[in-house]
Amino acid sequence: MIARSDIREMDNRIGAIKEAATDLQKISLGIQAIDRNVERILATVAMLEINISDVASMHREERFDS
Amino acid sequence: MNLANSNAAMDKEKYWNPILETLPGEELEKLQLKKFRRIFRWAYEHSGFYHKLYANAGIEPDDIKTMEDIGKVPKLEKTMMREVQAKTPYPYGDILCVPLEKVTEYHQTSGTTGQPVFQADCWQDWELSSEQWAYLLCAQGYRARDRVFLPFGYNVFIAFWSGHYAAEKLGCEVVPGGALNTEARILKMQELRCNAFMATPTYVLGMADTAVRKLGINPRDLHIEKITVAGEPGGSIPSTRRRMEEAWGANVFDHAGATEVGAWGYECQYKSGLHVNDAMFLVQIEDIETGEVITEPGRKGKMVVTSLDRIAQPCIRFDSKDIIEWSSEECECGRTFRLLNGGIYGRTDDITKVKGVLLAPGAIEEVVRSITGLGDEYEVVINKSRDISDIDDIILKVELLPGLEQVDSIKIKLADQLRLKTNLAYNLEFHNYGTLPRYDIKARRFKDLRHKE
């Protein structure tokens, strides 16, 4: 059984990767080599969100509801 | 490494993602509701087609609060997708939720039931597709040490494209057997000592036949340990599975998916039925006549499925026409993903009334392939009798293996088993081995000509 705190921690790191990738895109000067590779990074991050962050956010909502 | 660490390591290898695959059923349901609401809102706000569909039905995103509310959402039929794709903007109509410049992949359905449906995917959806396949390949025992052969045409049909990328994701060495003929594929598998491959049941049997008849190679002498099948129900038809496993001396695992939907179901190494990937799909079974949602095991109905994460061309409450039933068993693998009994029994489209009796093509396949002495291929033709009676006439064409001595007993056994399993009498035609059509991808063995003349 994986602890909720571990899932939360993983989710935090996933959020940080997403933020870093998005920040990089903002300063890319429109360079395709950056923009397109960031697109790919973000698609992979979306898989991490599906695998981890969706569960973490469900746990957060449960805490909020109760 | 101590025992506790070693068990933990084995557990990590057993699951692609233990967090989702062992999530208690109650939490999986909460996750499905959360994700259904998200994809519904996304489609409502970004796709002209979905917006109109839901607005006309008087349903908005905030109306979905419970699992029961999902039943109010109109179902999506394949014909609706064909209709919208016949309109501008070409070629997808207004079904997409992303601008065309975000679309990076094109595929299409096989067109077995009519005009193919075009499937647009953005890069994230393409990642998703291989992610879904990673769940199933991991459950079927694919590991980084495997060398996996992909004997398919790498073209517009989705086939095993995602299997290729998922195997890479798992760290397997992937050998693309695209533009090779069957003999060359077998020889390449032999040369490289590939230990796994993926194909339709028809092609798995066809390759074994080619290996024996044309190359003089016993497929059991290759090094195949596991085969993943998809695209036809055969993987879950016991006699077809037995033939494949005996021919190759390998474990055969079934997988279910569709171009429009994704890879929604798979067998794990325990082969206790198809697991539904409940974290990425919402599968519901509806009574074919009444539409009532079936939750109890052992009652057949048609599948209505939602792909919960697909964003470019979403697939929400898709009426797949596949006939399935829930299992009452829990799988020993420890996954909490729900199990289906047996797999896909057939499609509501294929089940047809003949002489007043409901006939499922899968039942004929089960009989033909359970009889030793008959080849793997067969063909069913239903037509009206030419005489004055105008009654339905079923012709079943089968092949006899060469060198048989007990031909009469095989003929009697076939007729008896067919009558027993399908309650129908057939005009049986026995053909020489190798004379019926062969197929590389999806076979078309069932021909109902009654309404076509």
Side-chain angles (χ1 to χ4, degrees), chain B residues 364-376:
Chain B
I364 299 174
E365 177 166 321
E366 167 65 7
V367 170
V368 171
R369 290 186 174 161
S370 70
I371 295 175
T372 310
L374 294 181
D376 296 325

Side-chain angles (χ1 to χ4, degrees), chain B residues 2 15 29 43 69 99 103 109 134 137 156 158-159 163 209 245 250 267 276 296 306 338 346 371 381 415 421 437 451:
Chain B
N2 66 30
Y15 300 114
E29 198 174 298
D69 292 335
V103 173
T109 59
L137 293 183
V156 290
I158 193 81
D209 186 62
E245 293 193 331
E267 273 185 316
V276 170
E296 69 271 29
T306 299
R338 290 172 300 169
I371 295 175
V381 181
K421 297 276 168 64
H451 312 295

Side-chain angles (χ1 to χ4, degrees), chain B residues 266-277:
Chain B
Y266 55 89
E267 273 185 316
C268 68
Q269 288 179 288
Y270 289 86
K271 300 183 187 175
S272 5
L274 280 183
H275 283 282
V276 170
N277 183 337

Side-chain angles (χ1 to χ4, degrees), chain B residues 10-24:
Chain B
M10 276 174 62
D11 243 25
K12 275 178 200 147
E13 214 182 39
K14 180 171 153 189
Y15 300 114
W16 179 245
N17 178 3
I19 295 170
L20 289 177
E21 288 171 271
T22 62
L23 203 62

Side-chain angles (χ1 to χ4, degrees), chain B residues 123-405:
Chain B
W123 186 252
Q124 182 175 314
D125 289 332
W126 197 232
E127 279 286 334
L128 175 70
S129 186
S130 54
E131 189 70 16
Q132 289 163 351
W133 268 82
Y135 275 77
L136 80 93
L137 293 183
C138 181
Q140 294 175 353
Y142 286 71
R143 299 291 180 265
R145 56 190 169 272
D146 290 323
R147 182 173 292 133
V148 185
F149 194 77
L150 273 297
F152 79 99
Y154 287 87
N155 57 23
V156 290
F157 304 118
I158 193 81
F160 296 92
W161 274 103
S162 303
H164 176 122
Y165 292 113
E168 279 184 359
K169 212 170 201 177
L170 265 84
C172 303
E173 182 182 347
V174 181
V175 183
L180 301 174
N181 66 18
T182 303
E183 287 100 311
R185 285 170 175 167
I186 293 163
L187 291 171
K188 186 52 74 180
M189 281 163 68
Q190 184 186 44
E191 180 191 356
L192 295 178
R193 296 189 164 218
C194 295
N195 69 334
F197 72 94
M198 308 174 199
T200 60
T202 290
Y203 198 55
V204 171
L205 290 171
M207 284 174 82
D209 186 62
T210 300
V212 174
R213 310 268 161 214
K214 295 192 176 165
L215 298 169
I217 294 172
N218 181 348
R220 297 177 74 92
D221 293 338
L222 301 180
H223 302 272
I224 302 301
E225 295 161 11
K226 49 190 171 271
I227 302 168
T228 297
V229 295
E232 297 170 333
S236 291
I237 295 176
S239 60
T240 300
R241 178 203 289 274
R242 204 160 39 244
R243 283 192 175 213
M244 290 189 282
E245 293 193 331
E246 281 172 7
W248 288 92
N251 268 309
V252 169
F253 298 106
D254 199 9
H255 145 58
T259 313
E260 315 88 319
V261 184
W264 60 265
Y266 55 89
E267 273 185 316
C268 68
Q269 288 179 288
Y270 289 86
K271 300 183 187 175
S272 5
L274 280 183
H275 283 282
V276 170
N277 183 337
D278 285 318
M280 295 181 171
F281 299 91
L282 173 63
V283 166
Q284 294 179 305
I285 306 179
E286 287 191 355
D287 185 281
I288 294 166
E289 302 290 330
T290 64
E292 172 205 353
V293 176
I294 298 171
T295 52
E296 69 271 29
R299 195 174 140 203
K300 290 186 180 67
K302 67 173 176 176
M303 178 173 82
V304 177
V305 57
T306 299
S307 189
L308 295 167
D309 300 295
R310 201 167 196 170
I311 56 172
Q313 187 175 320
C315 188
I316 299 173
R317 294 221 349 116
F318 179 60
D319 185 351
S320 76
K321 319 261 186 231
D322 289 325
I323 298 167
I324 53 174
E325 67 177 18
W326 294 120
S327 167
S328 56
E329 306 294 316
E330 279 180 20
C331 189
E332 285 181 66
C333 71
R335 284 177 182 77
T336 47
F337 287 178
R338 290 172 300 169
L339 268 183
L340 298 177
N341 251 344
I344 297 172
Y345 290 103
R347 293 170 52 82
T348 52
D349 285 351
D350 295 338
I351 291 184
T352 182
K353 217 170 224 182
V354 186
K355 299 177 189 173
V357 176
L358 285 176
L359 173 66
I364 299 174
E365 177 166 321
E366 167 65 7
V367 170
V368 171
R369 290 186 174 161
S370 70
I371 295 175
T372 310
L374 294 181
D376 296 325
E377 285 304 332
Y378 65 93
E379 191 171 284
V380 184
V381 181
I382 304 176
N383 215 337
K384 289 284 181 194
S385 286
R386 297 279 176 199
D387 61 29
I388 195 163
S389 65
D390 197 36
I391 59 169
D392 297 334
D393 187 23
I394 320 171
I395 298 167
L396 172 61
K397 303 175 187 178
V398 294
E399 290 181 348
L400 288 166
L401 293 179
L404 283 177
E405 289 175 1

Side-chain angles (χ1 to χ4, degrees), chain A residues 1-2 4 7 10 36 39-40 42-44 46-47 50-52 54-55 57-59 61-62, chain B residues 16-20 23 27 30-31 34-35 38 102 123-124 127-128 131 135 169 280 309:
Chain A
M1 189 71 176
I2 295 163
R4 287 188 172 200
I7 297 173
M10 286 188 240
R36 295 288 178 196
E39 281 284 310
R40 290 201 167 202
L42 289 174
T44 305
M47 296 308 107
I50 286 166
N51 278 303
I52 308 294
D54 283 343
V55 178
S57 97
M58 187 172 72
H59 291 163
E61 284 162 17
E62 279 170 13
Chain B
W16 179 245
N17 178 3
I19 295 170
L20 289 177
L23 203 62
E27 286 194 46
K30 275 187 200 166
L31 183 66
K34 177 184 164 70
K35 292 174 81 162
R38 181 170 71 192
K102 290 281 182 191
W123 186 252
Q124 182 175 314
E127 279 286 334
L128 175 70
E131 189 70 16
Y135 275 77
K169 212 170 201 177
M280 295 181 171
D309 300 295

